[in-house]
Amino acid sequence: MKLRNIICLGLPPIILLIAGVFVFGIFLIKWFWGWTIPALFPLAANNDTKIIASVISWGTAFKLSLFISALVAGYHQTQSMNLKKLLFFCLCIILVKLFWGWTIPDLFPNGVAGNLVSETISWWSAIKLSILFTLLSAVSSFKMAPRQIIKK
């Protein structure tokens, strides 16, 4: 039995990647949110106004990590075929719509209560955000030109 199969529990690398992104993402999101949001939005994260949650719960970090892991899984499966990329785009629309209503009230409690942030989004807004995520994933997948081509 190969050492790699023992360490990876015999699972395919994509499953391990998604599981790693999910588990590591929970801790990273919880830490990153509490570290950056109060610094970036001090008045909005203030205990008096609390437009943006200054600290998120483990459940909210779980939800955000689940969303990011689903995007990573979908994107990883679309690297070869254009039809898969179209399916990823459509899946992204549905995920954005569902996760917005599931997480935004937790992240912006008084912002939603004061109508500063929408509790739900329209399908058109989900399409626009899906376009943004698709463009970001396309830009992140660009490969640098080999140095041999640049030198010529």
Side-chain angles (χ1 to χ4, degrees):
M1 189 178 266
K2 293 183 179 179
L3 180 61
R4 183 176 80 72
N5 287 341
I6 294 171
I7 293 173
C8 297
L9 303 172
L11 295 172
I14 183 63
I15 300 296
L16 295 172
L17 172 71
I18 302 306
V21 167
F22 176 67
V23 172
F24 184 64
I26 293 171
F27 294 101
L28 189 64
I29 289 168
K30 180 136 175 77
W31 170 74
F32 190 76
W33 188 276
W35 185 52
T36 58
I37 295 302
L40 292 175
F41 307 104
L43 295 177
N46 187 341
N47 285 337
D48 297 333
T49 58
K50 201 144 191 150
I51 295 170
I52 300 173
S54 57
V55 177
I56 60 173
S57 67
W58 287 104
T60 304
F62 175 86
K63 293 177 200 177
L64 287 172
S65 184
L66 186 63
F67 175 64
I68 292 168
S69 298
L71 289 178
V72 168
Y75 176 71
H76 183 74
Q77 295 301 318
T78 62
Q79 290 185 347
S80 61
M81 294 177 50
N82 288 332
L83 179 62
K84 285 185 179 181
K85 290 179 183 176
L86 178 63
L87 291 174
F88 171 70
F89 177 73
C90 294
L91 176 68
C92 191
I93 294 170
I94 295 168
L95 287 174
V96 166
K97 176 97 169 123
L98 293 175
F99 277 93
W100 186 280
W102 196 29
T103 58
I104 292 301
D106 294 340
L107 298 176
F108 305 100
N110 287 345
V112 169
N115 286 331
L116 298 171
V117 179
S118 178
E119 185 174 358
T120 59
I121 60 172
S122 67
W123 285 103
W124 179 242
S125 296
I127 289 170
K128 290 189 276 186
L129 285 171
S130 183
I131 291 169
L132 173 69
F133 292 143
T134 303
L135 289 174
L136 289 174
S137 66
V139 168
S140 71
S141 67
F142 287 151
K143 300 210 180 341
M144 298 299 292
R147 291 185 182 196
Q148 294 83 7
I149 295 173
I150 295 172
K151 288 181 182 178
K152 290 182 181 179

